[in-house]
Amino acid sequence: MIKVNLEGCNSFVSEAKYQEYVEKALNALDVLENESGAGNDFLGWKHLPSLNLANGLVDECEAIRDSWKAKGVDLVVVIGIGGSYLGAKCAIEALKHPFSSLLAGKKDAPEIVFAGQNLSEEYICELMDLVQERNAACVVISKSGTTTEPAVAFRIIKQYIENKYGKAE
């Protein structure tokens, strides 16, 4: 349980106003939990952890990891924008050793780079310089699949991967 001490707010937020805010927050939480508000068809994310664990998503991800490891993938390009890009970046940064790329020794995980968060032709060109030197794989994160920046990056990476490894890969 989270407890918040708001005593320092007493001089500029009255008790009545505070209670009004609490009521609004509880009403908003109720709308979210009951999926009864506008945009409720976009709330599938609420059930993702439990549904994906039950549907074997972790096993599927581990199988892809093992396949990429067996193929010597040493670079993963994560394509996304907004929350898709930032969510992946946040999770990766939180879970990795902050100095892993600077430590000596054999790397047991591929380097991860990002694309699709901008339309910079220079960024894409320099990314492709790196991709061409490495054994690359790609992960695309997109809710709609129609956002311009990730769509452009995906098409460029996809074409390169198909030309290098073949369409089946």
Side-chain angles (χ1 to χ4, degrees), residues 26 33 46 54 58 109-110 113 121 140 158:
L26 291 173
E33 288 191 351
K46 288 178 38 191
V58 172
V113 296
E121 59 197 57
V140 181
K158 179 180 181 268

Side-chain angles (χ1 to χ4, degrees), residues 81 116-124 147-153:
I81 194 168
Q117 73 276 22
N118 63 57
L119 285 173
S120 167
E121 59 197 57
E122 187 174 343
Y123 183 90
I124 292 291
T147 307
T148 303
E149 295 87 345
V152 168

Side-chain angles (χ1 to χ4, degrees), residues 35-102:
E35 299 181 7
S36 58
N40 63 9
D41 50 333
F42 294 102
L43 295 177
W45 57 266
K46 288 178 38 191
H47 308 291
L48 288 177
S50 57
L51 286 176
N52 288 330
L53 289 175
N55 292 336
L57 179 64
V58 172
D59 294 335
E60 189 177 331
C61 289
E62 288 176 344
I64 291 168
R65 177 205 59 206
D66 294 344
S67 169
W68 285 358
K69 201 172 195 175
K71 293 174 183 176
V73 170
D74 61 354
L75 180 74
V76 176
V77 180
V78 177
I79 298 176
I81 194 168
S84 301
Y85 157 72
L86 294 171
K89 189 167 182 68
C90 178
I92 291 164
E93 291 295 319
L95 295 172
K96 76 174 192 172
H97 187 294
F99 303 107
S100 59
S101 64
L102 302 173

